[in-house]
Amino acid sequence: MSIARLWGSLRSYATKPELRKLRNIGIIAHIDAGKTTTTERMLYYSGKISRIGNVDQGDTITDFLPQEKSRGITIQSAAVSFNWQKDHQINLIDTPGHADFTFEVIRSVKVLDGCVTILDAVAGVEAQTEKVWKQSQRSPKICFINKMDRVGAGFSRTVKELIAKMNTRVALINIPLFVQEPQDQVPRFAGVIDLVNMKVIEWDPEDCDKINVTDATTAGAEIQEQLLRGRESLIETLGEYDENLIEFFLEEANGDYLKVPPELLNGSIRKATLAKFVTPVLCGASFRNIGVQPLLDAIVNYLPSPLEASLPETNHPTLPVKLDPKLGALMNNNKNLCVLLAFKVITDPIRGIMVFVRVYSGTLHAGNTAFNSNTGKKFKIGKLVIPHANVYEEVSTLYPGQIGILVGTTVAENVSTGDTIVTHSLKKDGLRSLDSKRELTVKINPIAIPPPVFSVCVEPRTLGNKKSMEDALGTLTREDPSLHVSFDEETGQTLLSGMGELHLEIAKYKLVNELNADVEIGKVMVSYKETIDGKTPEETISSDAGYQLTVSILPLPLHEDTLDVVARSIHETWYPLGIDNNYLIMENHRKYTTEELWPFQISFQAVINALISSSIVALQKGGKIARYPLHSCAVKVKGDWTLPPDIENPAEVLKLSRKLILTAISNIPQDQFSVLEPVMDLDISVPQKDMGSVIQDLTGSRNANILSIDDESGIDNNDQNIEFQKIAQEQFLPPDPTVKLANLGSEGSSMKFIKAQVPLRDMVSYTNRFRSLTQGRGSFHMNYSGMDKVNKDRLSSILNE
Ligand SMILES: Nc1nc2c(ncn2[C@@H]2O[C@H](COP(=O)(O)OP(=O)(O)OP(=O)(O)O)[C@@H](O)[C@H]2O)c(=O)[nH]1
């Protein structure tokens, strides 16, 4: 049955949602934790689909791409909407877990208000989970400990890791219920003990729709004991945040943990979750259909509506943004101002280019005139649709807080990922009634694009295919800005760069099979960069036509996360170039300090856009050692620049500034350049008996720096989280009846956890080597850490490659 038919009779989302009943959430986790499996069950139990699909059979709703179906992994995030608890609307984005697709996660969490983090109960808190947790630090979260049916599942061990690694207190909403039947060798995970509602919930293993709910206060002694201790811990933790709860507990409930009513507890958990004081934790086994309905309740009960979500950060620190119960994030106190962020672009075979947007403020109508505050261009909004994975429902309006899609050629030509769109909520052509200085220039802070670390050479098979290859590459990078295309004028080669080997493999598949590019694709290479070691002298152009422009190039710290602490002067503005950690720095203009004094025909934004483009092009042309693109550099423009007053076309600014930046770079002596290579964080878990050979291989052949070897999966012993290690020790946690087996390899040897840093160059095709060293019993996870300078010996071997 087609998805369209499955959904044909279901509820439409064209009506205005009640903001307080809306939840925009993402499902995030390490690869294979069970995100798609859990999403599929949510769709089923919400009544959105009538049959459950499975990842392993390739028939889930959210993994609809052919490559997702055949590989059983999520590659792109997919959005679905459904209802729960009668009239709450949940807009959910299922994100990929593989590190190569991390940009999909970054751009999704940017527009979401809350997250469900799925953890594999056997693997615990894995490396990519830590990463996506940090990437979504603005969002309140709940955790779902999945795969409780697997032998070795450790609910309590995972909760402990969660507290200590993520530095969060937890609120256990439910805990696992195991039953030991005579025929079973190990206890069977059968359901949960609901600590809030004081119920025992058991799922029928044969019938996914049958649930048995009983009163936990009259259950067996062991359950009663766990209920009491679980509630005690929950109330004590919440009491640290919510005085009212403690007051009720002492005065009304007479100090009896079982007498605090569920509604009061839920309210308290909600408040503490929204304040990020606690993370509610639930458990289940989605594949066995256990625990999903309580998770849906928790999404509604504890995660924020758009009225409680953190406000969007904009480029105008003084522009007032506040929450309005009807309009969402009200900006500049203007009820007519509609502001949206484009966070994703895809090409649909039938509808063409589709731009996913989140409406932050106001109401968006199909056919309205809109303004792209990143490009400074006006355009018409075409059709609007709401996504249900790859099925789309046409609507005439997108309301505040909603996630929807813009379709049509004008949108395709005018909007890219990360752009802020502004329009008037009521008038079709109402841009003129908006404040041109603040409202039409408001930009929601950009979506950070991680740097590509691997490249392949792409060549057209015949010269006649060159144009179609370029078009196809354009489509690819437009959909996925974490892919990057560069052209080497000297060798005539086109390079496609991405986040990892799998990322490029999928890109190659798309290029050839979906975009029909007739191309030859070379083998995967590491992407090297160059940087400069000191500031260049200033370079000036002063022309008769009326141009004056002075630039210099400065080196920046190599690691992006240290950039925030770089002392930035209040006399300048930093514009990220969106690639290779490069920036344009504009000194405040000495003359044109306010909009009124601006004497040129061309807008300030158009000048900035031209300077950004020329900086990107010039820095991408590369350094003097091997013409690798320049990384961690800033182009600084002095605040005394001027242009001919009647200039209308930014192309001239672009041409002149590019020439100037290139001259500045060419004046840097060769010994001031260094080559950079990507370095990866490596997390490995191996049976103890294989540890020696794995470490020997890492240090002997791969230049790895071993950071730690632990028995547990790396809870840092640093001062920072001693407080949380203590909290983890004090937290009530039920016994883990099958956990001992979790730390045992198949031959009974215990597992070791290794953390290391290693140059990417030495890790190409590591998967096969690792598999043979551990006979498939270990696992490893690699994540981009940053760029490091290479020494002389290493440089000559890189250059000889
Ligand atoms: N035993 C068991 N297996 C599960 C459970 N949930 C998911 N799985 C299996 O785990 C594997 C990964 O499941 P997915 O749902 O694709 O995981 P994911 O997190 O969406 O994976 P990516 O999106 O590719 O990162 C599949 O083989 C599932 O059948 C569970 O509760 N128990």
Side-chain angles (χ1 to χ4, degrees), residues 38-66:
T38 307
T39 304
E40 186 77 8
R41 271 63 184 175
M42 288 183 181
L43 291 171
Y44 176 76
Y45 287 116
S46 70
K48 185 92 188 187
I49 53 174
S50 58
R51 183 184 63 78
I52 296 175
N54 276 316
V55 175
D56 311 291
Q57 274 126 39
D59 61 350
T60 61
I61 297 291
T62 47
D63 280 356
F64 56 79
L65 294 179

Side-chain angles (χ1 to χ4, degrees), residues 131-184:
K131 184 148 188 192
V132 292
W133 186 283
K134 279 191 200 133
Q135 282 163 347
S136 58
Q137 60 188 359
R138 288 174 74 244
S139 308
K141 297 181 190 64
I142 52 186
C143 273
F144 182 65
I145 302 185
N146 188 34
K147 303 200 183 181
M148 285 300 304
D149 59 317
R150 288 180 63 196
V151 171
F155 172 81
S156 296
R157 191 208 49 208
T158 304
V159 173
K160 239 188 207 171
E161 268 185 37
L162 181 72
I163 299 171
K165 282 189 175 179
M166 307 308 197
N167 290 357
T168 179
R169 288 170 185 77
V170 294
L172 301 188
I173 307 304
N174 59 38
I175 55 175
L177 172 77
F178 284 92
V179 294
Q180 178 79 59
E181 278 155 18
Q183 72 274 18
D184 294 333

Side-chain angles (χ1 to χ4, degrees), residues 118-137:
I118 311 255
L119 299 168
D120 176 334
V122 176
V125 178
E126 295 172 274
Q128 186 66 8
T129 304
E130 288 187 61
K131 184 148 188 192
V132 292
W133 186 283
K134 279 191 200 133
Q135 282 163 347
S136 58
Q137 60 188 359

